[in-house]
Amino acid sequence: MLYTVDTLLKDGRQLVFTSDRPPAELKALGPELVGRLSGGLVCRVEPPDYATRLGIARQLSRRLQIDVPETVLALVASHVTSSARELSGAINRLQVMSVALQQPITRSLAEQAISDLKDQWSTPVQLADIQRAVCDVFGIEVASLQSKRKVSSISHPRMLAMWLARKHTRAALAEIGHFFGRRSHSTVISAQKRVERWMRRQEPVRLSQQTCNVEEAIRRVEDLLRTA
C-alpha cells in the first residue's frame, strides 16, 4: 500500500482516506505509511447536528416526492442522530408504512416507525465491547487489561473501562470487577471515583502514540462503541 500511495502522490493525484481514528493510532499500518497519512490534511468528521439533520430529512423527503409535515421532520431529526444513512432509512420507512397502511404521514405514524427503528439501532453494550474499544484506543492487549499489572499505561485504561461499564451497561459492580481481572466491587467503585476526579481536573491520559485529556479519550472509546 505504501508503494501505491507514493506512486499516486508522485503523479500528482489526490488521495482521500477515512478511518475511525487519527493516523497516529493506526499503528498496524507501519510508521512510514502513518507518516504519509499524517502529512496530509487530517479532519475529524463530526456527526450532523440538529439543523443539519433537519435539512437532510427535508432533502430526502423532496427527493422521494413525499409530503412529510415539518413537525414530523423535526421529530425524525431529533431522534435519529447518528448519520445521514439512518435518516434516509427513517424517511424510507415512513414512506413504506404510509403506503402499506394507506395513511398520510403523521406524527403518530412517525413515532411508530421511529420506535421500531430505535429498537434496531440501540444494540445493548456488552462488557466485551467496552474492553475491545478501550484496548483499541489505548493500543494495549486484552490480556494486559485483565492482568494484575499496576503500571499507569495499563491501570488507567482499566479504570476507564470500569467507569464506562458503569455508564453503558447494567452490569453489577461485582460482575464488572470479575470481568476485568477478577477484581472486587470496591475496586470498581474506586475506579469510578478516580475517573471522575480526572474529568474534574481535565487530567491527561496517554493513548497509543499521543496524550489527550480524559474526556477526549472517553469520546474516542464511545465513538468506537457506536460504530461497532
Side-chain angles (χ1 to χ4, degrees):
M1 187 174 179
L2 179 63
Y3 173 79
T4 302
V5 169
D6 284 343
T7 300
L8 292 172
L9 289 176
K10 287 178 182 177
D11 290 342
R13 305 290 185 86
Q14 285 190 334
L15 305 180
V16 178
F17 295 86
T18 63
S19 71
D20 60 359
R21 66 199 69 185
E25 295 179 21
L26 300 172
K27 58 182 181 178
L29 297 180
E32 292 184 340
L33 184 53
V34 168
R36 302 289 196 284
L37 298 177
S38 299
L41 177 63
V42 180
C43 300
R44 173 176 168 77
V45 180
E46 298 285 351
D49 59 17
Y50 171 77
T52 303
R53 296 195 303 271
L54 184 58
I56 292 171
R58 286 197 190 104
Q59 289 181 356
L60 290 169
S61 62
R62 292 192 193 110
R63 187 181 305 167
L64 293 172
Q65 297 182 339
I66 56 177
D67 183 20
V68 183
E70 191 68 18
T71 55
V72 172
L73 292 173
L75 179 70
V76 172
S78 296
H79 287 80
V80 184
T81 60
S82 296
S83 68
R85 286 192 297 272
E86 291 182 353
L87 282 168
S88 178
I91 297 297
N92 285 328
R93 181 71 176 273
L94 281 173
Q95 182 187 33
V96 170
M97 289 185 67
S98 175
V99 172
L101 299 175
Q102 296 184 344
Q103 295 179 9
I105 295 176
T106 61
R107 184 180 180 89
S108 176
L109 184 69
E111 287 174 345
Q112 181 183 347
I114 290 174
S115 175
D116 291 345
L117 289 172
K118 283 172 67 179
D119 290 341
Q120 297 174 20
W121 295 329
S122 56
T123 304
V125 175
Q126 305 295 329
L127 293 176
D129 299 328
I130 293 173
Q131 177 176 258
R132 281 192 297 270
V134 168
C135 288
D136 283 349
V137 169
F138 283 87
I140 60 177
E141 299 294 330
V142 169
S144 297
L145 197 69
Q146 295 190 347
S147 70
K148 301 299 182 183
R149 296 175 62 189
K150 295 184 179 180
V151 294
S152 61
S153 60
I154 302 298
S155 64
H156 287 183
R158 185 189 300 127
M159 286 187 279
L160 190 59
M162 292 179 180
W163 183 87
L164 287 163
R166 290 292 290 165
K167 178 180 178 181
H168 291 287
T169 76
R170 296 184 178 181
L173 292 169
E175 182 182 356
I176 295 170
H178 182 80
F179 184 87
F180 290 107
R182 299 180 181 275
R183 288 170 168 81
S184 67
H185 74 281
S186 60
T187 301
V188 180
I189 294 173
S190 176
Q192 275 189 273
K193 293 179 179 178
R194 179 76 69 87
V195 173
E196 288 166 359
R197 185 164 67 248
W198 292 344
M199 294 173 69
R200 287 195 302 270
R201 297 177 179 177
Q202 291 289 299
E203 292 190 14
V205 292
R206 179 71 181 173
L207 303 186
S208 56
Q209 296 185 25
Q210 63 182 133
T211 300
C212 67
N213 67 52
V214 67
E215 290 186 345
E216 172 66 12
I218 290 171
R219 182 192 60 74
R220 293 187 185 185
V221 174
E222 290 179 331
D223 283 350
L224 283 183
L225 290 175
R226 278 193 291 270
T227 58

